[in-house]
Amino acid sequence: MATQIVAINFTATNAGGTAHRHISEVKTASGRVLTQSEVISRIESGEEDFCTIADGEEARVIVVECPVCPADDYIKTTADEMIANNLLSLPLFPRTA
Ligand SMILES: [Zn+2]
């Protein structure tokens, strides 16, 4: 069963000449905080899968190339076009020091 992500933090970037956002950290339903690179290495190693759940719909988190800039370490959900399932639409959580 995939680990549910319930909140995120992002960094603003102008990479590629367009202002957009990259996920920097996620928080899981059980309260774990993982950096974006930790999430990616867990997905790519097959160690753990992640999802978001909105309105009973589960959207899987995948690693792709950023749609805006050349970064190839971008995470999104498979249902990005559905606002409710978009990682960037999740609430922000307070940064840990
Ligand atoms: Zn980008």
Side-chain angles (χ1 to χ4, degrees):
M1 183 170 160
T3 301
Q4 186 188 356
I5 292 173
V6 295
I8 56 119
N9 280 312
F10 63 80
T11 50
T13 176
N14 274 312
T18 305
H20 63 290
R21 298 179 293 181
H22 288 170
I23 305 282
S24 55
E25 298 172 304
V26 305
K27 189 175 206 174
T28 70
S30 66
R32 285 157 63 212
V33 173
L34 298 164
T35 64
Q36 179 242 35
S37 56
E38 286 171 335
V39 170
I40 290 174
S41 73
R42 284 168 179 274
I43 293 173
E44 289 185 335
S45 69
E47 195 176 335
E48 191 167 10
D49 277 320
F50 298 88
C51 69
T52 61
I53 299 174
D55 298 329
E57 297 276 338
E58 181 177 311
R60 203 179 134 103
V61 176
I62 55 173
V63 183
V64 294
E65 210 168 280
C66 178
V68 180
C69 76
D72 60 3
D73 56 349
Y74 185 86
I75 53 174
K76 60 171 264 184
T77 62
T78 49
D80 231 8
E81 72 280 2
M82 293 169 61
I83 297 299
N85 277 340
N86 188 322
L87 277 178
L88 284 167
S89 73
L90 291 173
L92 302 179
F93 64 89
R95 279 186 180 279
T96 51

